[in-house]
């Protein structure tokens, strides 16, 4: 049966001489893998550029339940991204966020709230001017709302430590190593406080932002099974220096 759905491209791998296997987060079916035939031919009707990370697409697909590899009948970018493919900072941020999303989202089922958040936020980031160099930090904290482990914002001088396992600030150092000390917890609190505005600029020095990214990734690792090996934030650090 044919279904029309929106999607967000996560990744692709080359398959045989002219085809691709594309992982797409769809509005109707969650994460799905599709085989796209003939896209790498010289005069192909489809453009390989349509399958770049976090491209927004509209597609018509054949869908079979519990079937590992699905097929696409029609696909087109919708809406077409204007800035992300051509802006070095935006495209590098997208590369990092895409790596996180690929490791964090694994469900083969509909999640309308999560899909709408991702689809709309990518569009907003595409037109954001000037681009916020803290967008990825703000985005990752906002994303935890939809993944089910948004941190409790109860920071004050009486609760200066952040417990990465419990997801809240507390008065004493926990009896495990997964926590943020006073300075790191203050920066984490600042991030949570500002996360409602994805164009916000954080008043945090460069070295502390590097630590903050590591703290966020550790927070994700502790709350998502199999989440490890994210590396592309190192490229971001080079771009921002």
């Amino acid at each position: 049966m044919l279904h029309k759905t929106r999607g967000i491209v996560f990744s692709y791998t080359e398959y045989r001489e002219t085809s691709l296997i594309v992982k797409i987060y769809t509005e109707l079916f969650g994460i799905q893998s599709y085989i796209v035939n003939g896209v790498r031919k010289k005069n192909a009707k489809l453009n390989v550029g349509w399958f770049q990370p976090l491209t927004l697409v509209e597609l018509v697909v054949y869908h079979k339940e519990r079937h590992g590899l699905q097929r696409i009948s029609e696909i087109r970018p919708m809406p077409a991204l204007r800035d992300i493919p051509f802006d070095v900072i935006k495209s590098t941020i997208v590369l990092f966020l895409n790596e996180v999303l690929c490791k964090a989202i694994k469900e083969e089922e509909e999640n309308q709230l999560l899909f709408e958040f991702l689809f709309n936020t990518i569009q907003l980031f595409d037109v954001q001017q000037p681009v916020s160099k803290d967008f990825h930090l703000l985005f990752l904290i906002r994303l935890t709302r939809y993944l089910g482990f948004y941190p409790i914002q109860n920071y004050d001088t009486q609760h200066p430590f952040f417990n990465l396992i419990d997801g809240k600030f507390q008065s004493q150092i926990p009896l495990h190593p997964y926590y943020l000390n006073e300075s790191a917890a203050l920066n984490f609190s600042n991030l949570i406080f500002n996360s409602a505005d994805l164009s916000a600029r954080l008043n945090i020095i460069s070295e502390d932002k590097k630590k903050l990214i590591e703290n966020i990734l550790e927070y994700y690792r502790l709350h998502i099974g199999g989440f490890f090996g994210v590396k592309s934030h190192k490229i971001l650090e080079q771009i921002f220096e």
Side-chain angles (χ1 to χ4, degrees):
M1 180 181 294
L2 287 171
H3 301 267
K4 185 176 181 179
T5 182
R6 294 182 297 169
I8 304 167
V9 177
F10 275 11
S11 64
Y12 74 81
T13 56
E14 296 181 354
Y15 179 68
R16 295 181 177 173
E17 293 186 2
T18 62
S19 302
L20 300 176
I21 294 178
V22 187
K23 181 186 289 186
I24 300 178
Y25 183 56
T26 68
E27 184 175 13
L28 294 183
F29 309 112
I31 290 288
Q32 296 292 326
S33 293
Y34 296 96
I35 184 168
V36 185
N37 293 318
V39 69
R40 293 161 57 214
K41 288 182 178 178
K42 185 176 181 180
N43 298 316
K45 294 182 180 179
L46 303 181
N47 189 327
V48 175
W50 297 355
F51 304 101
Q52 297 305 307
L54 302 193
T55 298
L56 307 178
V57 294
E58 184 177 83
L59 57 164
V60 178
V61 300
Y62 300 94
H63 185 77
K64 295 181 180 180
E65 294 295 334
R66 295 180 294 277
H67 190 275
L69 198 58
Q70 310 285 356
R71 289 188 173 272
I72 292 175
S73 174
E74 301 174 27
I75 185 169
R76 62 171 178 158
M78 182 58 68
L81 299 179
R82 299 184 303 176
D83 280 6
I84 288 174
F86 311 105
D87 184 293
V88 173
I89 292 177
K90 286 186 177 181
S91 59
T92 307
I93 289 174
V94 161
L95 181 69
F96 167 58
L97 295 181
N98 181 73
E99 184 181 13
V100 172
L101 290 170
C102 285
K103 295 178 182 296
I105 301 175
K106 304 171 186 178
E107 294 80 6
E108 296 182 6
E109 58 187 29
E110 178 185 359
N111 185 331
Q112 191 67 38
L113 290 177
L114 174 58
F115 182 87
E116 290 289 352
F117 166 70
L118 295 177
F119 201 90
N120 294 335
T121 302
I122 293 167
Q123 291 183 74
L124 290 173
F125 184 55
D126 186 51
V127 299
Q128 187 183 81
Q129 294 294 341
V131 59
S132 170
K133 293 183 179 180
D134 298 322
F135 176 88
H136 55 297
L137 300 170
L138 299 160
F139 174 91
L140 290 180
I141 287 298
R142 282 275 289 277
L143 178 61
T144 62
R145 282 189 180 274
Y146 303 91
L147 298 179
F149 53 97
Y150 187 73
I152 297 171
Q153 174 58 306
N154 62 319
Y155 176 86
D156 58 29
T157 55
Q158 303 301 313
H159 300 83
F161 303 100
F162 184 72
N163 187 319
L164 289 164
I165 292 179
D166 292 347
K168 64 180 181 180
F169 297 89
Q170 57 188 56
S171 59
Q172 296 180 335
I173 294 174
L175 300 176
H176 57 71
Y178 306 112
Y179 71 94
L180 305 183
N181 62 25
E182 291 98 329
S183 60
L186 177 60
N187 289 332
F188 204 77
S189 173
N190 185 18
L191 175 61
I192 299 168
F193 180 80
N194 285 282
S195 63
D197 180 6
L198 292 175
S199 64
R201 266 66 169 176
L202 301 175
N203 187 24
I204 301 174
I205 64 173
S206 178
E207 286 303 312
D208 285 348
K209 284 184 183 180
K210 293 179 183 180
K211 295 177 183 177
L212 186 55
I213 292 180
E214 298 290 352
N215 295 153
I216 295 170
L217 293 177
E218 178 76 347
Y219 187 54
Y220 269 67
R221 186 186 69 78
L222 290 168
H223 291 270
I224 299 175
F227 185 93
F228 57 86
V230 175
K231 299 178 180 179
S232 53
H233 58 294
K234 298 297 183 182
I235 302 174
L236 266 183
E237 292 176 3
Q238 297 174 12
I239 292 291
F240 290 157
E241 287 180 351

